[in-house]
Amino acid sequence: APAVPPVRQPDPRPDAAVQPVTLSVTEIRTLVRDPYAIYARHVLDLQPLEPLEAGVDGRDRGTLIHGVLAVFVQETALQWPKEPLAELLKLGRKGFEPYAHIEAVNAFWWPVFEKIAAWFVGWEQDRRAGLIGTAVEKDAALILPLEDGTQFRLKARADRIDRTSDGMVSLVDYKTGKPPTGEQVAAGLDPQLTLMAFMAAQGLFETVPGGKVSTISHVKLGAESEEILPKFEKKSFTPDDIERFAALHVAGLKQTLERLRRKESGFTSRQRMEKQGDSSDYDHLARTREWMAEAGE
């Protein structure tokens, strides 16, 4: 049989004119780890199709729980209820109503939410001491001017921004899945919160005054919820750490965008995936199994 040349790892380098000029902070993690997915979605304009007879999944659960907690925090901002757990469960039942006909939701999601609610009201009550304001689901945009004259727009939506009496700002991101480690945050492999910290310091979030960011926290919402404080060398990030990482990650993002536009680097498939077994919506398009087998991975 004739020799068949091995498939190469995709590394497309499209013209700057067709590259995305707007991304969300959550997509920057993808740009770092699997740039090809950004290329497929934003340059080729290919969107993953929902599977036939698709049911509810983890994304639906995350959206639902985020929404219920946002409403609870907003409605209790001025006055803490006498029975906070009962109030949160009431809001939860209302939020779960559209899914009431799905057996898996009733059997698995609701019991987990009850545990989350019991933990959350205690955490929330303790956290409110010293706060002078809380904002939820707020949007922001950061404009990055690039060398070719492009105005790149980085957009974000913060789950929660707390302001303390000393004028500082605290960012909270709820995670129903696995949160990143402190080392991943510090290295810029998951820069969502550090990029948002840069925006918050400049007062770019709607209705939220700017201020130095004191803490960034991923709060894991699961059956055994706990606050996950990013750690770096066994120490929590200080406000100065956050400011430094935020500036580094914004500069790193700008450098990445410049290199892509100059075609000095490409939208490489699976460039820095966390685990070899991790999957992407575009692995099949990138013929991942073929080139990884050829490379002996």
Side-chain angles (χ1 to χ4, degrees), residues 247-268:
L248 283 172
H249 296 167
V250 168
L253 171 60
K254 188 173 180 179
Q255 182 182 45
T256 296
L257 295 170
E258 298 282 17
R259 288 179 57 82
L260 287 169
R261 299 184 76 80
R262 293 194 298 262
K263 299 186 181 182
E264 293 174 1
S265 60
F267 291 84
T268 310

Side-chain angles (χ1 to χ4, degrees), residues 3-190:
V4 177
V7 175
R8 299 179 63 182
Q9 182 177 8
D11 184 43
R13 304 189 181 201
D15 292 339
V18 298
Q19 293 186 27
V21 294
T22 300
L23 290 174
S24 69
V25 290
T26 54
E27 289 180 300
I28 302 307
R29 179 185 188 276
T30 305
L31 182 65
V32 171
R33 292 188 177 276
D34 188 20
Y36 185 83
I38 298 295
Y39 166 78
R41 181 181 291 270
H42 292 282
V43 177
L44 301 183
D45 197 24
L46 298 175
Q47 309 301 318
L49 296 176
E50 293 291 339
L52 295 176
E53 299 182 1
V56 292
D57 58 18
R59 287 175 296 181
D60 296 310
R61 184 180 68 173
T63 300
L64 172 58
I65 293 175
H66 278 63
V68 172
L69 295 182
V71 172
F72 176 77
V73 172
Q74 282 182 315
E75 292 191 354
T76 62
L78 298 178
Q79 184 175 1
W80 187 248
K82 292 182 179 179
E83 297 183 5
L85 179 56
E87 182 65 24
L88 179 52
L89 290 175
K90 177 183 175 182
L91 292 172
R93 292 187 186 96
K94 184 176 180 180
F96 273 72
E97 280 179 3
Y99 302 90
H101 63 288
I102 303 175
E103 184 177 349
V105 171
N106 296 318
F108 299 106
W109 289 15
W110 180 253
V112 169
F113 178 76
E114 288 182 308
K115 293 182 179 181
I116 291 172
W119 172 84
F120 186 82
V121 293
W123 177 80
E124 176 70 13
Q125 191 166 15
D126 292 340
R127 185 174 180 84
R128 291 198 179 192
L131 296 185
I132 60 172
T134 295
V136 296
E137 303 290 339
K138 294 298 182 180
D139 294 322
L142 172 67
I143 303 300
L144 296 177
L146 303 182
E147 291 177 356
D148 63 359
T150 300
Q151 299 287 305
F152 181 86
R153 184 171 181 265
L154 179 66
K155 58 184 181 178
R157 170 166 288 187
D159 286 346
R160 175 174 180 157
I161 307 173
D162 292 332
R163 293 174 54 235
T164 51
S165 56
D166 58 5
M168 300 186 82
V169 174
S170 178
L171 291 174
V172 174
D173 184 54
Y174 301 128
K175 291 289 187 185
T176 50
K178 180 183 176 182
T181 66
E183 287 77 7
Q184 290 169 339
V185 174
L189 295 173
D190 202 316

Side-chain angles (χ1 to χ4, degrees), residues 182-183 231-237:
E183 287 77 7
K231 300 288 185 179
F232 183 64
E233 295 181 351
K234 300 183 179 180
K235 293 181 180 179
S236 298
F237 292 167

Side-chain angles (χ1 to χ4, degrees), residues 189-204:
L189 295 173
D190 202 316
Q192 176 184 351
L193 278 181
T194 49
L195 294 174
M196 288 200 297
F198 188 90
M199 297 180 184
Q202 298 187 42
L204 298 181

